[in-house]
Amino acid sequence: MRITSFEQYKEVYQESIANPENFWSDIASHFIWKKKWDKVLEWNFDEPKIEWFKGATVNITENIFEKNLPQYENKNAIIWEPNDPKQKNITLTYKELFEKVCQFANGLKSIGIKKGDRVCIYLPMIPELAIAVLACARIGAIHSVVFAGFSANSLSDRIQDAEAKLVITADGLNRGAKEVSLKTIVDEALKICPSVKYTIIFPCLAWEVNFKENHDLWWNDVIKNQNNYCPAEEMDSEDILFILYTSGSTGKPKGVVHTCGGYMVYTAYTFLNVYQYEKDDIYWCTADIGWITGHSYIIYGPLLNAATSVMFEGVPTFPDASRFWQIVDKYKVNQFLTAPTALRSLMAYGEDYVKKQDLSSLKILGTVGEPINAEAWHWYHDVIGKGKCPIVDNWWQTETGGIMITGIGSFSPLKPTFAGYPLPGIEPVLLTPEVKEIQEHDVEGYLCIKSPWPAILRSTYGDHERCRLTYFSHYNGYYFTGDGAKRDENGMYRIIGRIDDVINVSGHRFGTAEIENAINENELVIESAVVGYPHPIKGQSIYAFVVCEHDVLDEFIASKSILETVTKEIGKIALPEKILFVSALPKTRSGKIMRRILRKIAEGDIANLGDTSTLLDPAVVTEIVGKAF
Ligand code: WT7
């Protein structure tokens, strides 16, 4: 499975495109299947219908445990580093993790959770989060992890959409110096979630909770007297492994559906190759398991490869800005993966926080989640990697399940701000607005993918038509990524950013409509328009133009009230950085909000507002510009 040179990559890539079925069946043969497939791939992008390893049965956890235990039983699977550096860390060997997963899996069965049931996991970055995810996979329950920074409203939307039977949470969490009472949020969310039969609570902080008899269960009671072996449920290759909600250009987040066989093969293959993991390496991805990066590259990809995966509960700047580098030093981390926003925030603290630590163990540095700017790239390369570690810039999406365009290991060419080349099996194309493939190099276009890879999303939960409309209808016959990209004279790709109404704030995705819906819930507000604009640390930030019922007398108080509403509707992670109160929004005669103009204003580029004469009321623009500057 391992590619070891750039020359070999080029050969393997050609083969993978010329004969994808042979290519992927060779890779898949390295795994334990309970029954082999009848057909490697069947697909059409019209419905869409994509089936990998049809007819095969498998359990992803058998490929983590049963496959790896004979050789690696005493190797650390997870090293958990707590938020508070004074607290003791936790290590779990493959054997210990397996027993905990089985025990909890048996506990889930004992309360009636079975194959196909949806389980919502709303936990801090503690080992129990990984245990809960794997226990679901063990028994074939579908996990839906919700990042523990989302509000009660967002949580209840996701629980309702998936009709989850069970919620797994904790009393509370510590993130940096902050504390959050998760159980209170869950209680609030569950007021309108009739599908939920039980809530399991892990005592993370030994807080008192409002404990509801016949509904709430303590984690420790669920696992009490449970056997530490649980047989793996036999899953169809195309059975759902998990749902993960993500934002798009429409108001409501979508439940992206990933299935068992293809996701397993793809995350394992891409992890091994991109990070060139060797058996004694320590690998650390700083993401939260609430996002796809944590699913694919903290849990599944690394553990399928019998890797040691570091899991960190805290934040980069607590207790101070040296924390990441202290952890790298403490565990002698060899492969390190983080987001550009974290790098930019740490860069701002200066090099003193880096100098005291020994970072010589590092071999490969990864970046993911948003385009990396040249300055952050060089800082990462020179100050963290001391000029010796290649940077692999991983472009992919919740929907793609795994890395798509990237550098590989230490041998592919590096070019700051360019993600790199497509991985084997991935056929990116750049399209014109007229849906023509651009063949030349040194061009820009809409980034689409021409053929399926094993971890492509299969559906959006409960609404397949939405999946078709969002990803397969704009450009007939292609998977549409929503990103614009550039291809250089050597065929290397650079991702420019979203071309739809999606904003990427610190690597987190929000739809403008989603934030507008939240703002419009405020009783002062008539309507609003939200755009993204460049932010030095977050990448992009949120700018809200708001029209209120009456003249706002005190803009400070009104802003505060709107921020509270967004916190309640989505969570603090979606707060606008700027709110501008205006008397009207620029609209076309047909009533469409002209976001392009608002985006220019938010960017401060008022010299290039373009033609405003076709607007319903061009004077609105003059007023907004006057207020904004
Ligand atoms: C969007 C997907 C991939 C896991 C984390 C985010 C942007 C992601 C890169 C990168 C430039 C990137 C794209 C993409 N993006 N990685 N290396 N370079 N842009 O997953 O929340 O599904 O967001 O993030 O715009 O479409 P996500």
Side-chain angles (χ1 to χ4, degrees):
M1 297 220 303
R2 192 191 294 267
I3 300 169
T4 53
S5 71
F6 192 59
E7 289 314 308
Q8 191 194 355
Y9 155 76
K10 286 193 272 189
E11 270 169 37
V12 170
Y13 183 79
Q14 293 309 336
E15 279 167 34
S16 76
I17 301 303
N19 200 337
E21 295 199 32
N22 272 1
F23 175 75
W24 288 112
S25 75
D26 275 357
I27 309 275
S29 66
H30 290 85
F31 295 80
I32 302 176
W33 299 84
K34 294 211 185 218
K35 177 172 168 281
K36 221 192 148 189
W37 50 90
D38 305 318
K39 184 95 179 61
V40 180
L41 171 64
E42 262 178 37
W43 69 289
N44 73 70
F45 276 176
D46 300 325
E47 296 176 60
K49 185 166 178 156
I50 303 142
E51 293 173 305
W52 281 95
F53 312 112
K54 196 172 170 177
T57 63
V58 67
N59 188 297
I60 196 166
T61 68
E62 269 196 331
N63 285 281
I64 292 175
F65 297 115
E66 275 85 346
K67 180 160 176 258
N68 293 329
L69 279 167
Q71 211 182 336
Y72 297 108
E73 144 179 307
N74 296 319
K75 179 177 174 181
N76 281 332
I78 291 177
I79 299 178
W80 177 76
E81 171 71 14
N83 180 61
D84 178 354
K86 292 201 254 359
Q87 197 187 326
K88 209 183 142 357
N89 65 357
I90 294 173
T91 57
L92 292 170
T93 63
Y94 272 84
K95 182 159 182 274
E96 289 164 338
L97 180 62
F98 182 47
E99 290 179 353
K100 285 186 184 290
V101 166
C102 283
Q103 246 184 0
F104 191 62
N106 284 326
L108 292 178
K109 280 188 181 171
S110 76
I111 59 166
I113 302 298
K114 52 185 195 313
K115 178 175 174 179
D117 286 343
R118 276 79 58 211
V119 174
C120 173
I121 304 177
Y122 187 67
L123 279 171
M125 276 290 283
I126 53 176
E128 285 67 24
L129 171 48
I131 293 166
V133 162
L134 293 168
C136 286
R138 188 77 182 168
I139 63 170
I142 298 169
H143 56 78
S144 164
V145 182
V146 177
F147 173 62
F150 278 114
S151 68
N153 281 1
S154 290
L155 177 62
S156 68
D157 282 351
R158 287 159 172 76
I159 293 171
Q160 285 175 310
D161 188 81
E163 295 180 276
K165 201 163 162 186
L166 168 71
V167 176
I168 304 172
T169 191
D171 44 358
L173 68 75
N174 279 322
R175 196 180 281 134
K178 279 186 240 147
E179 289 182 336
V180 183
S181 172
L182 293 181
K183 178 61 168 55
T184 317
I185 296 172
V186 170
D187 287 345
E188 177 67 28
L190 290 192
K191 284 182 183 161
I192 45 169
C193 299
S195 62
V196 178
K197 300 278 175 293
Y198 299 106
T199 299
I200 297 177
I201 315 150
F202 183 79
C204 196
L205 305 176
W207 284 356
E208 259 189 47
V209 299
N210 168 28
F211 191 89
K212 288 200 288 298
E213 292 300 331
N214 301 323
H215 179 101
D216 288 347
L217 302 162
W218 286 107
W219 177 289
N220 298 334
D221 292 332
V222 173
I223 58 172
K224 200 181 279 163
N225 303 324
Q226 293 298 343
N227 197 308
N228 60 14
Y229 174 74
C230 170
E233 185 73 34
E234 187 166 350
M235 305 296 286
D236 237 69
S237 178
E238 283 299 337
D239 277 340
I240 301 180
L241 175 63
F242 67 86
I243 306 169
L244 185 61
Y245 285 84
T246 189
S247 299
S249 44
T250 46
K252 201 170 143 249
K254 299 177 287 281
V256 169
V257 169
H258 284 291
T259 56
C260 296
Y263 177 84
M264 169 183 81
V265 169
Y266 196 72
T267 52
Y269 179 74
T270 51
F271 171 77
L272 177 73
N273 278 299
V274 173
Y275 287 92
Q276 289 290 316
Y277 185 84
E278 311 260 2
K279 84 176 188 345
D280 295 320
D281 286 346
I282 307 288
Y283 160 87
W284 179 23
C285 162
T286 71
D288 192 292
I289 291 170
W291 313 110
I292 191 70
T293 309
H295 283 61
S296 302
Y297 299 109
I298 295 178
I299 300 185
Y300 289 115
L303 298 185
L304 285 163
N305 283 287
T308 299
S309 182
V310 176
M311 184 176 167
F312 176 40
E313 186 185 26
V315 296
T317 49
F318 180 82
D320 67 41
S322 67
R323 189 69 195 277
F324 269 8
W325 321 124
Q326 281 184 10
I327 299 172
V328 169
D329 191 353
K330 179 171 176 185
Y331 300 116
K332 304 294 170 220
V333 170
N334 304 110
Q335 293 92 354
F336 176 73
L337 167 59
T338 196
T341 185
L343 296 171
R344 288 190 297 263
S345 86
L346 294 175
M347 226 167 100
Y349 285 89
E351 286 181 29
D352 283 353
Y353 288 96
V354 186
K355 283 188 182 142
K356 289 189 206 87
Q357 281 76 40
D358 175 9
L359 304 182
S360 59
S361 57
L362 289 172
K363 296 197 282 194
I364 291 185
L365 300 173
T367 160
V368 65
E370 47 174 322
I372 184 165
N373 52 308
E375 204 190 347
W377 194 99
H378 286 290
W379 189 79
Y380 202 20
H381 188 258
D382 301 345
V383 178
I384 303 304
K386 319 289 179 207
K388 293 184 325 216
C389 304
I391 293 181
V392 291
D393 181 350
N394 306 157
W395 174 82
W396 57 296
Q397 309 178 298
T398 305
E399 295 85 345
T400 71
I403 303 167
M404 302 283 283
I405 297 181
T406 181
I408 305 179
S410 55
F411 47 74
S412 47
L414 291 186
K415 184 167 172 183
T417 79
F418 277 70
Y421 291 97
L423 283 173
I426 306 304
E427 260 188 299
V429 290
L430 297 179
L431 296 185
T432 65
E434 296 76 36
V435 201
K436 276 222 165 60
E437 283 184 27
I438 306 172
Q439 304 293 347
E440 302 79 29
H441 281 356
D442 209 6
V443 287
E444 256 180 60
Y446 299 152
L447 181 60
C448 289
I449 316 285
K450 213 174 160 163
S451 57
W453 61 99
I456 186 175
L457 88 161
R458 303 300 197 267
S459 191
T460 47
Y461 194 75
D463 190 352
H464 192 65
E465 178 62 2
R466 193 156 173 222
C467 173
R468 189 184 71 79
L469 285 173
T470 314
Y471 305 106
F472 299 94
S473 71
H474 297 271
Y475 301 95
N476 238 328
Y478 300 89
Y479 165 79
F480 174 52
T481 66
D483 282 317
K486 190 182 160 85
R487 187 169 52 220
D488 77 1
E489 60 288 356
N490 300 312
M492 252 181 147
Y493 285 87
R494 172 189 187 155
I495 311 304
I496 300 166
R498 302 291 302 201
I499 52 172
D500 52 5
D501 289 323
V502 167
I503 310 181
N504 188 331
V505 186
S506 302
H508 304 324
R509 243 165 97 171
F510 299 100
T512 53
E514 182 187 6
I515 301 168
E516 288 161 7
N517 289 348
I519 294 176
N520 298 349
E521 287 294 314
N522 187 293
E523 54 192 23
L524 299 170
V525 176
I526 297 181
E527 63 172 345
S528 60
V530 160
V531 296
Y533 71 102
H535 183 279
I537 304 232
K538 298 178 185 172
Q540 274 191 302
S541 217
I542 300 166
Y543 198 132
F545 297 86
V546 177
V547 181
C548 286
E549 191 114 12
H550 306 286
D551 257 358
V552 175
L553 294 178
D554 189 328
E555 293 194 351
F556 180 75
I557 293 176
S559 292
K560 199 162 159 266
S561 162
I562 289 170
L563 294 180
E564 277 164 13
T565 308
V566 176
T567 306
K568 178 165 166 282
E569 294 296 323
I570 308 178
K572 282 203 162 56
I573 46 176
L575 288 183
E577 183 100 1
K578 287 193 187 165
I579 298 178
L580 191 74
F581 293 95
V582 295
S583 67
L585 298 171
K587 288 188 182 168
T588 60
R589 293 208 175 92
S590 60
K592 204 168 154 292
I593 298 173
M594 292 293 285
R595 279 166 211 289
R596 186 180 49 77
I597 295 178
L598 294 175
R599 221 173 280 131
K600 290 281 176 203
I601 297 173
E603 287 165 6
D605 188 12
I606 45 173
N608 291 306
L609 291 183
D611 183 12
T612 57
S613 64
T614 56
L615 292 181
L616 186 64
D617 180 5
V620 168
V621 176
T622 322
E623 182 216 303
I624 299 178
V625 170
K627 261 208 103 173
F629 299 98

